[in-house]
Amino acid sequence: SIKILGVKIHQVTNETAYNRFLTLMEEPKLSMICTPNTEIVMEAQHDDELKDVLQDADLVIPDGIGLIYASKIHQLGLTERVTGIDTMERILKYANNNKKSIFLFGGKPGVAEKAAEKMKETYPNIQIKGIRDGYFKKEEEDKIIDHINEVKPDLLFVALGAPKQEKWIYQNRKTLNAKVAMGVGGALDIWAGVSKRAPKIFQKLHLEWFYRLLKEPSRIGRMLSLPKFMIKVLISRDFSRPS
Ligand code: UDP
């Protein structure tokens, strides 16, 4: 792994990230996949819990073009962006080919159901063992965990937004009965057709963030973390190369 502004990221490509996922599926304990972008790395600068979550996560993929720029500047060895949404897609393909089971947790009421319907059409061999929306009271948490543990999914996708989802998985990692848990942000919304991924041209030009800004202008505050991140990258020495 490497460090960017003191935050652990694995030095992976799309291919090696997937290979690591396959290894994690063989391990007896729950493994956790995180997909930080520059916003999250910036948040981890003043959020020690989030920093610990990333430090302990079993696979931390670089999901943000800013992280790749930082790697280029400091020669950290990241060669390509590995997005959460693409990684999830690979994992779903794997689940379909290997008849694995999943649990979808998060999103507004009805979103996970809709996402599940679409997934069933695309990946008919995946067993969708449970669904739960992401709006719950603190006292309902035990019930949600019991539900997950009753059905014992191979894969648990948590869509509560970052970093809430990462912290939720981390806080419950000792009790959750699944092989791999992953925070997937707005992915269920995309599956459900509630929101759309940026068109290919934006993806190619590394302007997905810009597309998202056009769609959701209220994200401007959060997105200002990207230029702040780049400035910090230029002046900081808090990096480490692969060991
Ligand atoms: N969400 C949720 N519970 C919450 C807050 C958010 O289920 O308490 C869901 C929300 O409905 C959306 C998803 O989390 O489907 C991700 O939100 P966002 O697109 O903001 O994700 P981010 O980009 O922050 O990871």
Side-chain angles (χ1 to χ4, degrees):
S1 63
I2 61 167
K3 281 208 169 158
I4 296 185
L5 301 181
V7 173
K8 183 184 88 173
I9 312 268
H10 282 114
Q11 191 213 1
V12 284
T13 59
N14 280 281
E15 201 59 40
T16 58
Y18 179 67
N19 291 337
R20 170 119 180 107
F21 157 76
L22 293 178
T23 314
L24 296 177
M25 284 300 288
E26 301 303 320
E27 288 184 6
K29 67 161 188 88
L30 176 92
S31 297
M32 178 174 180
I33 301 179
C34 291
T35 68
N37 54 15
T38 40
E39 229 172 272
I40 288 295
V41 170
M42 283 305 272
E43 223 163 307
Q45 303 301 301
H46 53 81
D47 182 338
D48 288 340
E49 186 190 1
L50 177 57
K51 204 167 172 183
D52 288 347
V53 173
L54 294 163
Q55 184 59 41
D56 285 358
D58 304 277
L59 175 57
V60 185
I61 66 175
D63 183 357
I65 197 61
L67 302 177
I68 308 304
Y69 293 150
S71 168
K72 288 218 168 95
I73 293 168
H74 295 280
Q75 289 151 19
L76 306 174
L78 296 180
T79 53
E80 62 185 11
R81 190 176 163 216
V82 184
T83 67
I85 191 108
D86 290 330
T87 305
M88 182 184 183
E89 197 66 41
R90 278 184 180 231
I91 291 176
L92 289 173
K93 267 191 198 128
Y94 158 89
N96 191 51
N97 291 336
N98 295 281
K99 296 198 171 61
K100 296 291 180 189
S101 61
I102 67 174
F103 192 110
L104 304 178
F105 170 35
K108 299 214 170 82
V111 166
E113 276 89 351
K114 193 106 196 92
E117 269 170 39
K118 296 271 173 62
M119 279 180 196
K120 261 186 230 155
E121 284 168 23
T122 316
Y123 299 118
N125 296 326
I126 294 181
Q127 299 172 55
I128 301 175
K129 280 199 171 164
I131 283 165
R132 162 74 216 211
D133 70 73
Y135 294 84
F136 53 90
K137 298 200 191 79
K138 191 85 195 137
E139 56 268 27
E140 286 177 283
E141 259 190 58
D142 284 348
K143 213 176 73 195
I144 297 173
I145 294 170
D146 286 348
H147 181 189
I148 296 168
N149 289 349
E150 253 161 51
V151 299
K152 297 186 188 61
D154 293 307
L155 300 155
L156 171 62
F157 295 111
V158 184
L160 303 175
K164 192 175 174 188
Q165 57 201 16
E166 285 75 18
K167 289 183 181 178
W168 191 88
I169 297 171
Y170 188 69
Q171 284 158 8
N172 296 301
R173 68 195 182 286
K174 300 242 162 74
T175 36
L176 283 169
N177 202 333
K179 290 215 143 52
V180 171
M182 175 177 178
V184 294
L188 297 187
D189 290 321
I190 293 176
W191 267 101
V194 175
S195 64
K196 273 207 180 68
R197 199 177 172 189
K200 280 265 161 9
I201 181 76
F202 283 84
Q203 293 180 33
K204 276 224 180 75
L205 296 172
H206 304 308
L207 289 173
E208 255 182 299
W209 60 271
F210 182 61
Y211 177 83
R212 194 129 193 226
L213 185 61
L214 294 178
K215 291 269 162 189
E216 298 172 62
S218 62
R219 293 180 84 95
I220 184 73
R222 296 175 58 178
M223 284 187 177
L224 283 176
S225 66
L226 179 61
K228 284 188 200 147
F229 170 84
M230 288 316 298
I231 293 167
K232 214 169 156 109
V233 160
L234 290 172
I235 56 182
S236 168
R237 304 191 149 264
D238 203 0
F239 301 93
S240 68
R241 304 214 165 103
S243 43

